[in-house]
Amino acid sequence: MDGSDLPRLLLEAHRVLAADLDAELADRGYPDLRPGHAAVFLAVDRRSGTRLTELARRARMTKQGMMLTVDDLEQRGYVRRVPDPEDARAKLVRLTARGRRVAAEYRRAVQAIEQRQRRDLGERRYEQLREVLERIVAPEEHEVA
Amino acid sequence: MDGSDLPRLLLEAHRVLAADLDAELADRGYPDLRPGHAAVFLAVDRRSGTRLTELARRARMTKQGMMLTVDDLEQRGYVRRVPDPEDARAKLVRLTARGRRVAAEYRRAVQAIEQRQRRDLGERRYEQLREVLERIVAPEEHEVA
DNA sequence: CGGCGATCGTCAAGGTGCTTGACCGTTGCC
DNA sequence: GGCAACGGTCAAGCACCTTGACGATCGCCG
């Protein structure tokens, strides 16, 4: 009745939940945050900060792509770049005080989304969904256990 | 270890499979086709053709968005627009002969992707994945059966 | 210690796959 | 026959990346 192929279905599902996440954050008073920012807020080490390249690796994207996101967050005052004392090439992306507050909201917003899905899908199906997606995204980490 | 939230995970999974689909089509001799085109090739009625608005509805996107895709396919000679005899406002998007050949390749390419996933995930998990995704995308069609 | 390939961050450009907004012509119902 | 609703279109813009190229620094090998 709809005929969507699997790749497209994944994209559509992403959009639905990304819109939900956006709405959650707007409700919590941060209308300028977008779903893509989650990749940083949820991946950055809260105390020490994290290198750009490492953030990119965690989000499975290029460092150039991650830079655009970090640039955006820096401009909005949520993170700042500080030199990495251990390597003069590197910088650490670190949350500002404001950024830490937002990171907390982010985690709550994501939890709200995921809990809604748990409720709608049931615990077992939810867990399987996550497992299956991670398997598609990073097959080598799910070798014949 | 990766920290991706569910919306992001869906996006990442989409990208993996969309890249696979792209590769499948390139292998089959159509390097100019992109995953997004599937929304048309798999949704258009093979004989009669289908209205733009209806295609958009099936793909769960705006008619303007669908127009861009159809424009692209028309320029490449895969579809053409013909007036709808039943409504002077409307046009039918119809496959050309070339378009029909490609639609067949598309279905095969999508099948190849989906069969690989069936193999990697197992039949049961694959079916559940589809069901769950459709549920997220179109909740009203999955009301308390 | 000197050279050199690898790594970190950055700049620039491009691309996919949409969106919102505005509009015109046609339809069809009161 | 008047008018809201619908079908298609033009225009602009946005989210979220990509590939390519490059300078600075690192660290290993000889």
Side-chain angles (χ1 to χ4, degrees):
Chain A
M1 199 89 346
D2 68 311
S4 279
D5 53 296
L6 187 54
R8 173 153 198 95
L9 207 45
L10 286 163
L11 180 57
E12 293 174 9
H14 156 72
R15 278 206 257 272
V16 169
L17 296 194
D20 284 357
L21 183 51
D22 223 25
E24 279 287 340
L25 288 163
D27 281 358
R28 289 156 193 271
Y30 298 96
D32 63 328
L33 293 174
R34 290 173 292 97
H37 291 145
V40 173
F41 282 116
L42 300 178
V44 69
D45 293 332
R46 300 196 59 191
R47 310 180 151 270
S48 48
T50 305
R51 289 186 190 172
L52 185 70
T53 308
E54 175 60 18
L55 286 177
R57 197 195 57 75
R58 290 183 191 173
R60 284 179 271 262
M61 55 191 272
T62 61
K63 56 187 180 173
Q64 295 95 318
M66 181 52 78
M67 230 205 8
L68 295 176
T69 306
V70 169
D71 282 352
D72 190 37
L73 288 175
E74 188 166 38
Q75 220 174 325
R76 294 172 200 272
Y78 294 121
V79 303
R80 63 182 193 289
R81 287 164 159 102
V82 302
D84 184 338
E86 296 185 2
D87 188 335
R89 293 170 301 178
K91 295 175 188 173
L92 294 172
V93 175
R94 194 172 283 178
L95 291 171
T96 61
R98 193 173 166 222
R100 275 188 297 273
R101 286 196 298 278
V102 170
E105 289 298 342
Y106 245 108
R107 277 188 293 273
R108 267 170 256 157
V110 167
Q111 272 193 356
I113 299 294
E114 302 197 343
Q115 255 169 30
R116 190 177 318 145
Q117 288 308 315
R118 269 201 194 85
R119 204 191 56 221
D120 291 355
L121 302 177
E123 186 66 30
R124 205 182 98 244
R125 273 188 293 198
Y126 174 81
E127 288 303 336
Q128 282 215 340
L129 173 60
R130 279 207 73 103
E131 187 200 318
V132 160
L133 292 177
E134 281 172 9
R135 209 171 171 117
I136 291 172
V137 162
E140 65 290 350
E141 292 169 19
H142 292 262
E143 299 287 286
V144 265
Chain B
M1 203 84 352
D2 67 311
S4 278
D5 52 295
L6 187 53
R8 173 154 199 95
L9 207 46
L10 286 163
L11 180 56
E12 292 174 8
H14 156 71
R15 279 206 258 269
V16 169
L17 296 195
D20 284 359
L21 183 50
D22 223 27
E24 278 288 339
L25 288 163
D27 281 358
R28 287 156 195 271
Y30 297 95
D32 63 329
L33 293 174
R34 289 174 292 96
H37 292 144
V40 173
F41 282 116
L42 301 179
V44 69
D45 293 330
R46 301 194 60 188
R47 310 180 152 271
S48 49
T50 305
R51 289 185 190 173
L52 185 69
T53 306
E54 174 61 17
L55 286 177
R57 197 195 58 75
R58 291 183 190 173
R60 286 179 271 263
M61 53 191 273
T62 61
K63 56 185 178 172
Q64 295 95 318
M66 181 53 78
M67 231 205 8
L68 294 177
T69 305
V70 170
D71 283 352
D72 190 36
L73 289 175
E74 189 167 37
Q75 219 173 326
R76 295 172 199 272
Y78 294 121
V79 302
R80 64 184 194 286
R81 286 163 160 103
V82 302
D84 184 338
E86 296 185 1
D87 189 334
R89 293 170 302 179
K91 296 175 187 172
L92 294 172
V93 175
R94 193 172 285 178
L95 292 171
T96 60
R98 194 172 164 222
R100 273 189 298 273
R101 285 196 300 276
V102 170
E105 289 298 344
Y106 245 108
R107 277 188 293 274
R108 266 170 258 159
V110 167
Q111 272 192 357
I113 299 294
E114 301 198 343
Q115 256 169 29
R116 190 176 319 146
Q117 287 309 314
R118 267 201 196 84
R119 204 192 56 218
D120 290 354
L121 301 177
E123 185 67 31
R124 202 181 101 247
R125 273 188 293 200
Y126 174 82
E127 288 304 336
Q128 281 215 344
L129 174 59
R130 279 207 75 103
E131 188 200 319
V132 159
L133 291 177
E134 279 170 12
R135 207 171 174 118
I136 291 172
V137 161
E140 66 288 349
E141 292 168 19
H142 294 261
E143 298 288 285
V144 267

